[in-house]
Short mmCIF file of all heavy atoms in Angstrom, two decimals:
data_model
loop_
_atom_site.label_atom_id
_atom_site.label_comp_id
_atom_site.label_asym_id
_atom_site.label_seq_id
_atom_site.Cartn_x
_atom_site.Cartn_y
_atom_site.Cartn_z
N MET A 1 3.06 -66.57 -15.72
CA MET A 1 3.73 -65.27 -15.70
C MET A 1 3.08 -64.32 -16.69
O MET A 1 2.97 -64.64 -17.87
CB MET A 1 5.22 -65.46 -16.04
CG MET A 1 6.04 -64.17 -15.96
SD MET A 1 6.37 -63.65 -14.28
CE MET A 1 7.94 -64.49 -13.98
N LYS A 2 2.64 -63.19 -16.22
CA LYS A 2 2.03 -62.20 -17.11
C LYS A 2 2.92 -60.97 -17.24
O LYS A 2 3.68 -60.65 -16.34
CB LYS A 2 0.66 -61.78 -16.56
CG LYS A 2 -0.42 -62.82 -16.75
CD LYS A 2 -1.75 -62.25 -16.33
CE LYS A 2 -2.86 -63.27 -16.54
NZ LYS A 2 -4.17 -62.68 -16.25
N THR A 3 2.79 -60.30 -18.37
CA THR A 3 3.55 -59.08 -18.61
C THR A 3 2.59 -57.94 -18.88
O THR A 3 1.70 -58.05 -19.73
CB THR A 3 4.48 -59.25 -19.83
OG1 THR A 3 5.35 -60.35 -19.59
CG2 THR A 3 5.30 -57.99 -20.06
N VAL A 4 2.74 -56.88 -18.12
CA VAL A 4 1.98 -55.66 -18.37
C VAL A 4 2.99 -54.53 -18.53
O VAL A 4 3.89 -54.39 -17.70
CB VAL A 4 1.01 -55.33 -17.21
CG1 VAL A 4 0.25 -54.04 -17.48
CG2 VAL A 4 0.04 -56.48 -16.98
N LYS A 5 2.85 -53.79 -19.58
CA LYS A 5 3.82 -52.72 -19.83
C LYS A 5 3.61 -51.55 -18.87
O LYS A 5 2.49 -51.23 -18.49
CB LYS A 5 3.68 -52.23 -21.27
CG LYS A 5 4.34 -53.18 -22.25
CD LYS A 5 4.48 -52.53 -23.61
CE LYS A 5 5.05 -53.50 -24.65
NZ LYS A 5 6.41 -53.94 -24.34
N CYS A 6 4.74 -50.94 -18.51
CA CYS A 6 4.69 -49.73 -17.71
C CYS A 6 3.96 -48.66 -18.51
O CYS A 6 4.25 -48.45 -19.69
CB CYS A 6 6.11 -49.26 -17.38
SG CYS A 6 6.16 -47.64 -16.61
N GLU A 7 3.01 -47.97 -17.87
CA GLU A 7 2.22 -46.97 -18.60
C GLU A 7 3.03 -45.70 -18.91
O GLU A 7 2.63 -44.90 -19.73
CB GLU A 7 0.95 -46.63 -17.84
CG GLU A 7 1.20 -46.05 -16.47
CD GLU A 7 -0.06 -46.07 -15.60
OE1 GLU A 7 -1.15 -46.21 -16.14
OE2 GLU A 7 0.10 -45.94 -14.39
N ILE A 8 4.17 -45.55 -18.25
CA ILE A 8 4.99 -44.36 -18.47
C ILE A 8 6.03 -44.59 -19.57
O ILE A 8 6.17 -43.80 -20.49
CB ILE A 8 5.75 -43.95 -17.18
CG1 ILE A 8 4.80 -43.80 -16.00
CG2 ILE A 8 6.55 -42.66 -17.41
CD1 ILE A 8 3.84 -42.66 -16.07
N CYS A 9 6.79 -45.68 -19.47
CA CYS A 9 7.94 -45.83 -20.36
C CYS A 9 7.89 -47.09 -21.22
O CYS A 9 8.83 -47.37 -21.96
CB CYS A 9 9.24 -45.82 -19.55
SG CYS A 9 9.45 -47.30 -18.54
N ASP A 10 6.79 -47.88 -21.13
CA ASP A 10 6.63 -49.05 -21.98
C ASP A 10 7.57 -50.20 -21.62
O ASP A 10 7.70 -51.15 -22.39
CB ASP A 10 6.83 -48.69 -23.46
CG ASP A 10 5.49 -48.56 -24.18
OD1 ASP A 10 4.45 -48.60 -23.49
OD2 ASP A 10 5.49 -48.43 -25.40
N ALA A 11 8.22 -50.13 -20.47
CA ALA A 11 9.05 -51.25 -20.03
C ALA A 11 8.15 -52.42 -19.64
O ALA A 11 7.02 -52.22 -19.18
CB ALA A 11 9.90 -50.84 -18.83
N ASP A 12 8.63 -53.65 -19.85
CA ASP A 12 7.87 -54.83 -19.47
C ASP A 12 7.97 -55.03 -17.96
O ASP A 12 9.06 -55.08 -17.41
CB ASP A 12 8.40 -56.06 -20.17
CG ASP A 12 8.06 -56.07 -21.66
OD1 ASP A 12 7.09 -55.38 -22.03
OD2 ASP A 12 8.75 -56.75 -22.42
N ILE A 13 6.82 -55.18 -17.32
CA ILE A 13 6.81 -55.52 -15.90
C ILE A 13 6.08 -56.85 -15.79
O ILE A 13 4.99 -57.02 -16.30
CB ILE A 13 6.08 -54.44 -15.07
CG1 ILE A 13 6.76 -53.08 -15.26
CG2 ILE A 13 6.07 -54.82 -13.58
CD1 ILE A 13 6.01 -51.91 -14.62
N GLN A 14 6.75 -57.83 -15.12
CA GLN A 14 6.21 -59.18 -15.08
C GLN A 14 5.90 -59.62 -13.66
O GLN A 14 6.53 -59.17 -12.70
CB GLN A 14 7.22 -60.16 -15.69
CG GLN A 14 7.47 -59.89 -17.16
CD GLN A 14 8.46 -60.88 -17.75
OE1 GLN A 14 9.46 -61.21 -17.13
NE2 GLN A 14 8.17 -61.35 -18.95
N GLY A 15 4.91 -60.51 -13.55
CA GLY A 15 4.59 -61.09 -12.25
C GLY A 15 3.79 -62.36 -12.41
O GLY A 15 3.04 -62.51 -13.37
N GLU A 16 3.97 -63.28 -11.44
CA GLU A 16 3.21 -64.53 -11.44
C GLU A 16 1.74 -64.27 -11.16
O GLU A 16 0.86 -64.89 -11.72
CB GLU A 16 3.75 -65.47 -10.34
CG GLU A 16 5.04 -66.18 -10.67
CD GLU A 16 4.88 -67.20 -11.81
OE1 GLU A 16 3.75 -67.67 -12.04
OE2 GLU A 16 5.88 -67.51 -12.46
N ASP A 17 1.50 -63.35 -10.24
CA ASP A 17 0.14 -62.96 -9.91
C ASP A 17 0.12 -61.46 -9.64
O ASP A 17 1.17 -60.81 -9.70
CB ASP A 17 -0.40 -63.76 -8.71
CG ASP A 17 0.52 -63.67 -7.51
OD1 ASP A 17 1.21 -62.63 -7.36
OD2 ASP A 17 0.56 -64.61 -6.71
N ILE A 18 -1.03 -60.95 -9.30
CA ILE A 18 -1.16 -59.49 -9.16
C ILE A 18 -0.27 -58.96 -8.03
O ILE A 18 0.31 -57.88 -8.16
CB ILE A 18 -2.65 -59.08 -8.98
CG1 ILE A 18 -2.83 -57.57 -9.07
CG2 ILE A 18 -3.25 -59.66 -7.71
CD1 ILE A 18 -2.51 -56.94 -10.42
N ASP A 19 -0.12 -59.73 -6.96
CA ASP A 19 0.73 -59.27 -5.85
C ASP A 19 2.20 -59.17 -6.27
O ASP A 19 2.87 -58.19 -5.97
CB ASP A 19 0.60 -60.21 -4.64
CG ASP A 19 -0.75 -60.05 -3.95
OD1 ASP A 19 -1.36 -58.97 -4.07
OD2 ASP A 19 -1.18 -61.00 -3.28
N ALA A 20 2.65 -60.22 -6.98
CA ALA A 20 4.04 -60.22 -7.46
C ALA A 20 4.23 -59.09 -8.48
O ALA A 20 5.27 -58.42 -8.49
CB ALA A 20 4.38 -61.57 -8.09
N TRP A 21 3.20 -58.89 -9.30
CA TRP A 21 3.30 -57.83 -10.31
C TRP A 21 3.38 -56.45 -9.65
O TRP A 21 4.17 -55.60 -10.04
CB TRP A 21 2.12 -57.89 -11.29
CG TRP A 21 2.29 -56.91 -12.40
CD1 TRP A 21 2.99 -57.10 -13.55
CD2 TRP A 21 1.81 -55.56 -12.43
NE1 TRP A 21 2.97 -55.94 -14.30
CE2 TRP A 21 2.26 -54.99 -13.65
CE3 TRP A 21 1.05 -54.79 -11.55
CZ2 TRP A 21 1.95 -53.67 -14.01
CZ3 TRP A 21 0.75 -53.48 -11.91
CH2 TRP A 21 1.21 -52.94 -13.12
N PHE A 22 2.55 -56.23 -8.64
CA PHE A 22 2.58 -54.94 -7.93
C PHE A 22 3.96 -54.68 -7.32
O PHE A 22 4.46 -53.57 -7.36
CB PHE A 22 1.51 -54.89 -6.84
CG PHE A 22 0.20 -54.31 -7.31
CD1 PHE A 22 -1.00 -54.95 -7.02
CD2 PHE A 22 0.15 -53.14 -8.05
CE1 PHE A 22 -2.22 -54.43 -7.46
CE2 PHE A 22 -1.06 -52.61 -8.50
CZ PHE A 22 -2.24 -53.26 -8.19
N LYS A 23 4.54 -55.75 -6.77
CA LYS A 23 5.87 -55.61 -6.19
C LYS A 23 6.89 -55.21 -7.25
O LYS A 23 7.72 -54.33 -7.04
CB LYS A 23 6.30 -56.94 -5.53
CG LYS A 23 6.26 -56.86 -4.02
CD LYS A 23 6.69 -58.18 -3.40
CE LYS A 23 5.74 -58.54 -2.26
NZ LYS A 23 5.93 -59.91 -1.78
N ALA A 24 6.81 -55.88 -8.41
CA ALA A 24 7.73 -55.58 -9.51
C ALA A 24 7.48 -54.16 -10.03
O ALA A 24 8.43 -53.42 -10.31
CB ALA A 24 7.57 -56.60 -10.63
N ALA A 25 6.21 -53.80 -10.14
CA ALA A 25 5.86 -52.46 -10.62
C ALA A 25 6.36 -51.40 -9.65
O ALA A 25 6.91 -50.37 -10.06
CB ALA A 25 4.35 -52.35 -10.80
N PHE A 26 6.20 -51.68 -8.36
CA PHE A 26 6.65 -50.74 -7.34
C PHE A 26 8.15 -50.53 -7.42
O PHE A 26 8.65 -49.40 -7.37
CB PHE A 26 6.24 -51.24 -5.95
CG PHE A 26 6.46 -50.24 -4.85
CD1 PHE A 26 5.54 -49.23 -4.62
CD2 PHE A 26 7.59 -50.31 -4.06
CE1 PHE A 26 5.75 -48.30 -3.62
CE2 PHE A 26 7.82 -49.38 -3.05
CZ PHE A 26 6.89 -48.38 -2.83
N ALA A 27 8.89 -51.64 -7.58
CA ALA A 27 10.35 -51.57 -7.69
C ALA A 27 10.74 -50.78 -8.94
O ALA A 27 11.65 -49.94 -8.91
CB ALA A 27 10.95 -52.97 -7.74
N HIS A 28 10.04 -51.03 -10.04
CA HIS A 28 10.32 -50.33 -11.29
C HIS A 28 10.05 -48.83 -11.15
O HIS A 28 10.86 -48.00 -11.53
CB HIS A 28 9.47 -50.92 -12.43
CG HIS A 28 9.54 -50.12 -13.69
ND1 HIS A 28 10.60 -50.21 -14.57
CD2 HIS A 28 8.69 -49.18 -14.21
CE1 HIS A 28 10.39 -49.36 -15.58
NE2 HIS A 28 9.24 -48.73 -15.39
N TRP A 29 8.92 -48.50 -10.58
CA TRP A 29 8.54 -47.09 -10.42
C TRP A 29 9.51 -46.38 -9.48
O TRP A 29 9.87 -45.23 -9.71
CB TRP A 29 7.10 -46.98 -9.90
CG TRP A 29 6.09 -47.09 -11.01
CD1 TRP A 29 5.94 -48.14 -11.88
CD2 TRP A 29 5.12 -46.11 -11.39
NE1 TRP A 29 4.93 -47.86 -12.76
CE2 TRP A 29 4.40 -46.64 -12.49
CE3 TRP A 29 4.78 -44.85 -10.90
CZ2 TRP A 29 3.38 -45.93 -13.12
CZ3 TRP A 29 3.74 -44.16 -11.53
CH2 TRP A 29 3.05 -44.69 -12.61
N THR A 30 9.90 -47.08 -8.41
CA THR A 30 10.84 -46.48 -7.46
C THR A 30 12.17 -46.18 -8.15
O THR A 30 12.78 -45.13 -7.93
CB THR A 30 11.07 -47.42 -6.27
OG1 THR A 30 9.81 -47.71 -5.66
CG2 THR A 30 11.97 -46.78 -5.23
N ALA A 31 12.60 -47.10 -9.03
CA ALA A 31 13.89 -46.93 -9.71
C ALA A 31 13.81 -45.93 -10.85
O ALA A 31 14.71 -45.11 -11.03
CB ALA A 31 14.38 -48.28 -10.22
N GLU A 32 12.73 -45.98 -11.63
CA GLU A 32 12.66 -45.22 -12.89
C GLU A 32 11.78 -43.98 -12.82
O GLU A 32 11.95 -43.05 -13.60
CB GLU A 32 12.13 -46.12 -14.02
CG GLU A 32 12.91 -47.40 -14.21
CD GLU A 32 14.32 -47.15 -14.74
OE1 GLU A 32 14.54 -46.12 -15.39
OE2 GLU A 32 15.19 -47.99 -14.49
N HIS A 33 10.80 -43.99 -11.95
CA HIS A 33 9.83 -42.88 -11.94
C HIS A 33 9.64 -42.34 -10.52
O HIS A 33 8.51 -42.14 -10.06
CB HIS A 33 8.48 -43.36 -12.51
CG HIS A 33 8.61 -44.08 -13.82
ND1 HIS A 33 9.18 -43.51 -14.92
CD2 HIS A 33 8.26 -45.33 -14.19
CE1 HIS A 33 9.15 -44.40 -15.93
NE2 HIS A 33 8.61 -45.51 -15.50
N ALA A 34 10.76 -42.12 -9.87
CA ALA A 34 10.72 -41.68 -8.47
C ALA A 34 9.96 -40.36 -8.32
O ALA A 34 9.26 -40.14 -7.32
CB ALA A 34 12.13 -41.54 -7.93
N ASP A 35 10.08 -39.49 -9.34
CA ASP A 35 9.39 -38.20 -9.26
C ASP A 35 7.87 -38.38 -9.27
O ASP A 35 7.15 -37.69 -8.54
CB ASP A 35 9.83 -37.28 -10.42
CG ASP A 35 9.78 -37.98 -11.78
OD1 ASP A 35 9.87 -39.22 -11.82
OD2 ASP A 35 9.65 -37.27 -12.79
N ILE A 36 7.39 -39.33 -10.06
CA ILE A 36 5.95 -39.58 -10.12
C ILE A 36 5.47 -40.26 -8.85
O ILE A 36 4.39 -39.97 -8.34
CB ILE A 36 5.60 -40.40 -11.38
CG1 ILE A 36 5.91 -39.56 -12.63
CG2 ILE A 36 4.12 -40.80 -11.38
CD1 ILE A 36 6.01 -40.35 -13.91
N MET A 37 6.31 -41.17 -8.32
CA MET A 37 5.98 -41.80 -7.04
C MET A 37 5.79 -40.74 -5.97
O MET A 37 4.88 -40.83 -5.16
CB MET A 37 7.12 -42.73 -6.60
CG MET A 37 7.27 -43.96 -7.45
SD MET A 37 6.01 -45.21 -7.12
CE MET A 37 6.62 -45.87 -5.58
N LYS A 38 6.65 -39.75 -5.98
CA LYS A 38 6.59 -38.67 -4.99
C LYS A 38 5.27 -37.91 -5.12
O LYS A 38 4.64 -37.58 -4.13
CB LYS A 38 7.77 -37.70 -5.20
CG LYS A 38 8.98 -38.05 -4.38
CD LYS A 38 9.62 -36.77 -3.79
CE LYS A 38 10.22 -37.03 -2.42
NZ LYS A 38 11.29 -38.02 -2.45
N GLN A 39 4.89 -37.62 -6.37
CA GLN A 39 3.63 -36.91 -6.61
C GLN A 39 2.45 -37.71 -6.09
O GLN A 39 1.51 -37.16 -5.54
CB GLN A 39 3.45 -36.67 -8.11
CG GLN A 39 4.33 -35.55 -8.66
CD GLN A 39 4.23 -35.45 -10.18
OE1 GLN A 39 3.21 -35.74 -10.76
NE2 GLN A 39 5.30 -35.04 -10.81
N MET A 40 2.50 -39.03 -6.27
CA MET A 40 1.39 -39.88 -5.84
C MET A 40 1.28 -39.94 -4.33
O MET A 40 0.19 -40.10 -3.79
CB MET A 40 1.55 -41.29 -6.43
CG MET A 40 1.15 -41.35 -7.90
SD MET A 40 1.29 -42.99 -8.61
CE MET A 40 -0.29 -43.73 -8.15
N GLU A 41 2.42 -39.80 -3.67
CA GLU A 41 2.44 -39.85 -2.20
C GLU A 41 1.53 -38.80 -1.58
O GLU A 41 0.89 -39.02 -0.58
CB GLU A 41 3.86 -39.66 -1.67
CG GLU A 41 4.63 -40.95 -1.54
CD GLU A 41 6.08 -40.69 -1.18
OE1 GLU A 41 6.37 -39.69 -0.51
OE2 GLU A 41 6.93 -41.51 -1.57
N GLY A 42 1.51 -37.63 -2.20
CA GLY A 42 0.73 -36.53 -1.65
C GLY A 42 -0.75 -36.59 -1.98
O GLY A 42 -1.54 -35.80 -1.47
N LYS A 43 -1.12 -37.54 -2.83
CA LYS A 43 -2.51 -37.62 -3.27
C LYS A 43 -3.36 -38.43 -2.31
O LYS A 43 -2.85 -39.25 -1.56
CB LYS A 43 -2.58 -38.23 -4.67
CG LYS A 43 -2.08 -37.26 -5.73
CD LYS A 43 -2.31 -37.80 -7.12
CE LYS A 43 -1.82 -36.79 -8.15
NZ LYS A 43 -1.84 -37.34 -9.50
N PRO A 44 -4.69 -38.19 -2.35
CA PRO A 44 -5.56 -38.97 -1.46
C PRO A 44 -5.48 -40.46 -1.76
O PRO A 44 -5.16 -40.87 -2.87
CB PRO A 44 -6.96 -38.43 -1.75
CG PRO A 44 -6.85 -37.52 -2.91
CD PRO A 44 -5.41 -37.21 -3.14
N LYS A 45 -5.80 -41.25 -0.73
CA LYS A 45 -5.70 -42.71 -0.83
C LYS A 45 -6.52 -43.25 -1.99
O LYS A 45 -6.13 -44.22 -2.64
CB LYS A 45 -6.19 -43.31 0.48
CG LYS A 45 -5.51 -44.62 0.82
CD LYS A 45 -5.99 -45.14 2.18
CE LYS A 45 -5.83 -46.64 2.22
NZ LYS A 45 -6.93 -47.32 2.91
N GLU A 46 -7.66 -42.62 -2.27
CA GLU A 46 -8.55 -43.11 -3.33
C GLU A 46 -7.85 -43.10 -4.69
O GLU A 46 -8.10 -43.96 -5.52
CB GLU A 46 -9.83 -42.25 -3.44
CG GLU A 46 -10.69 -42.24 -2.19
CD GLU A 46 -10.23 -41.19 -1.18
OE1 GLU A 46 -10.38 -40.00 -1.45
OE2 GLU A 46 -9.68 -41.59 -0.13
N GLU A 47 -6.98 -42.10 -4.89
CA GLU A 47 -6.24 -42.00 -6.16
C GLU A 47 -5.37 -43.23 -6.36
O GLU A 47 -5.33 -43.81 -7.43
CB GLU A 47 -5.36 -40.75 -6.17
CG GLU A 47 -6.14 -39.46 -6.23
CD GLU A 47 -6.30 -38.93 -7.66
OE1 GLU A 47 -5.40 -39.16 -8.48
OE2 GLU A 47 -7.33 -38.32 -7.93
N GLY A 48 -4.68 -43.62 -5.31
CA GLY A 48 -3.82 -44.79 -5.35
C GLY A 48 -4.64 -46.06 -5.56
O GLY A 48 -4.26 -46.94 -6.33
N GLU A 49 -5.79 -46.11 -4.91
CA GLU A 49 -6.66 -47.29 -5.04
C GLU A 49 -7.22 -47.39 -6.45
O GLU A 49 -7.37 -48.47 -7.00
CB GLU A 49 -7.78 -47.25 -4.00
CG GLU A 49 -7.27 -47.68 -2.63
CD GLU A 49 -8.27 -47.40 -1.53
OE1 GLU A 49 -9.37 -46.89 -1.82
OE2 GLU A 49 -7.94 -47.68 -0.36
N LYS A 50 -7.54 -46.22 -7.02
CA LYS A 50 -8.05 -46.19 -8.39
C LYS A 50 -6.97 -46.68 -9.35
O LYS A 50 -7.23 -47.48 -10.25
CB LYS A 50 -8.45 -44.73 -8.75
CG LYS A 50 -9.62 -44.65 -9.70
CD LYS A 50 -10.09 -43.19 -9.82
CE LYS A 50 -9.77 -42.65 -11.19
NZ LYS A 50 -10.04 -41.19 -11.31
N TRP A 51 -5.73 -46.22 -9.12
CA TRP A 51 -4.62 -46.65 -9.98
C TRP A 51 -4.42 -48.16 -9.86
O TRP A 51 -4.21 -48.85 -10.85
CB TRP A 51 -3.35 -45.90 -9.60
CG TRP A 51 -2.21 -46.26 -10.49
CD1 TRP A 51 -1.92 -45.72 -11.72
CD2 TRP A 51 -1.23 -47.28 -10.27
NE1 TRP A 51 -0.82 -46.34 -12.25
CE2 TRP A 51 -0.37 -47.30 -11.40
CE3 TRP A 51 -0.98 -48.18 -9.22
CZ2 TRP A 51 0.71 -48.19 -11.50
CZ3 TRP A 51 0.09 -49.07 -9.33
CH2 TRP A 51 0.92 -49.05 -10.46
N MET A 52 -4.50 -48.68 -8.63
CA MET A 52 -4.30 -50.11 -8.42
C MET A 52 -5.41 -50.92 -9.09
O MET A 52 -5.15 -51.99 -9.66
CB MET A 52 -4.25 -50.42 -6.92
CG MET A 52 -2.86 -50.13 -6.35
SD MET A 52 -2.76 -50.28 -4.56
CE MET A 52 -2.66 -52.05 -4.36
N ALA A 53 -6.64 -50.40 -9.05
CA ALA A 53 -7.76 -51.09 -9.69
C ALA A 53 -7.56 -51.13 -11.20
O ALA A 53 -7.81 -52.16 -11.85
CB ALA A 53 -9.08 -50.39 -9.34
N GLU A 54 -7.10 -50.01 -11.75
CA GLU A 54 -6.81 -49.94 -13.20
C GLU A 54 -5.69 -50.92 -13.57
O GLU A 54 -5.78 -51.63 -14.57
CB GLU A 54 -6.38 -48.52 -13.59
CG GLU A 54 -7.51 -47.50 -13.59
CD GLU A 54 -8.54 -47.78 -14.69
OE1 GLU A 54 -8.12 -48.17 -15.80
OE2 GLU A 54 -9.73 -47.64 -14.41
N ALA A 55 -4.65 -50.93 -12.75
CA ALA A 55 -3.51 -51.81 -13.01
C ALA A 55 -3.94 -53.28 -12.94
O ALA A 55 -3.52 -54.10 -13.75
CB ALA A 55 -2.39 -51.54 -12.00
N LYS A 56 -4.81 -53.59 -11.99
CA LYS A 56 -5.30 -54.97 -11.85
C LYS A 56 -6.09 -55.37 -13.09
O LYS A 56 -5.98 -56.49 -13.58
CB LYS A 56 -6.16 -55.10 -10.59
CG LYS A 56 -6.49 -56.55 -10.28
CD LYS A 56 -7.22 -56.69 -8.96
CE LYS A 56 -7.43 -58.17 -8.60
NZ LYS A 56 -8.10 -58.93 -9.66
N LYS A 57 -6.90 -54.44 -13.60
CA LYS A 57 -7.68 -54.71 -14.81
C LYS A 57 -6.74 -55.03 -15.98
O LYS A 57 -6.98 -55.95 -16.74
CB LYS A 57 -8.52 -53.47 -15.16
CG LYS A 57 -10.02 -53.69 -14.97
CD LYS A 57 -10.79 -52.49 -15.49
CE LYS A 57 -11.45 -51.73 -14.36
NZ LYS A 57 -11.97 -50.42 -14.79
N ARG A 58 -5.69 -54.22 -16.10
CA ARG A 58 -4.74 -54.43 -17.19
C ARG A 58 -4.01 -55.76 -17.01
O ARG A 58 -3.73 -56.46 -17.97
CB ARG A 58 -3.74 -53.27 -17.27
CG ARG A 58 -4.41 -51.97 -17.71
CD ARG A 58 -3.40 -50.93 -18.14
NE ARG A 58 -2.59 -50.48 -17.00
CZ ARG A 58 -1.27 -50.30 -17.06
NH1 ARG A 58 -0.62 -50.50 -18.18
NH2 ARG A 58 -0.62 -49.89 -16.01
N PHE A 59 -3.71 -56.11 -15.74
CA PHE A 59 -3.04 -57.38 -15.47
C PHE A 59 -3.97 -58.55 -15.81
O PHE A 59 -3.56 -59.51 -16.45
CB PHE A 59 -2.65 -57.45 -13.98
CG PHE A 59 -1.88 -58.70 -13.62
CD1 PHE A 59 -0.51 -58.74 -13.80
CD2 PHE A 59 -2.53 -59.82 -13.12
CE1 PHE A 59 0.21 -59.90 -13.48
CE2 PHE A 59 -1.84 -60.97 -12.80
CZ PHE A 59 -0.46 -61.01 -12.98
N ASP A 60 -5.22 -58.46 -15.41
CA ASP A 60 -6.19 -59.53 -15.67
C ASP A 60 -6.40 -59.71 -17.18
O ASP A 60 -6.61 -60.82 -17.66
CB ASP A 60 -7.52 -59.21 -15.01
CG ASP A 60 -7.46 -59.39 -13.50
OD1 ASP A 60 -6.54 -60.08 -13.02
OD2 ASP A 60 -8.33 -58.85 -12.81
N ALA A 61 -6.32 -58.62 -17.92
CA ALA A 61 -6.55 -58.67 -19.37
C ALA A 61 -5.31 -59.15 -20.13
O ALA A 61 -5.40 -59.54 -21.29
CB ALA A 61 -6.97 -57.30 -19.86
N ALA A 62 -4.16 -59.12 -19.46
CA ALA A 62 -2.90 -59.48 -20.14
C ALA A 62 -2.84 -60.98 -20.45
O ALA A 62 -3.47 -61.77 -19.76
CB ALA A 62 -1.69 -59.07 -19.29
ZN1 ZN B 101 8.41 -47.25 -16.49
#
């Protein structure tokens, strides 16, 4: 189980692997940062992929 802090509010987000972590992060963002999720929706796909790549790096380093 790894813990990577939310980059917005410093909450702990945990997951067994990157897929589980993404699910937990998605649930957290949906609950706590719905406004930012909305902003990301309108952005090009590459932006989301870049964010996911960054998040994966942070997860791997945790
Ligand atoms: Zn957060």
Side-chain angles (χ1 to χ4, degrees):
M1 184 74 91
K2 285 187 179 185
T3 302
V4 179
K5 282 193 184 296
C6 171
E7 60 195 343
I8 307 292
C9 70
D10 259 8
D12 288 338
I13 301 173
Q14 296 181 318
E16 283 293 337
D17 54 30
I18 190 65
D19 288 336
W21 186 85
F22 268 133
K23 253 180 224 169
F26 189 81
H28 171 80
W29 277 59
T30 303
E32 305 292 334
H33 310 302
D35 49 335
I36 294 163
M37 290 285 284
K38 268 221 146 62
Q39 285 174 31
M40 283 181 85
E41 271 173 30
K43 287 187 179 171
K45 211 177 154 218
E46 299 85 70
E47 291 266 328
E49 281 169 2
K50 213 171 110 188
W51 183 84
M52 279 173 79
E54 287 293 321
K56 190 174 185 306
K57 249 187 248 168
R58 292 195 294 137
F59 183 85
D60 286 342

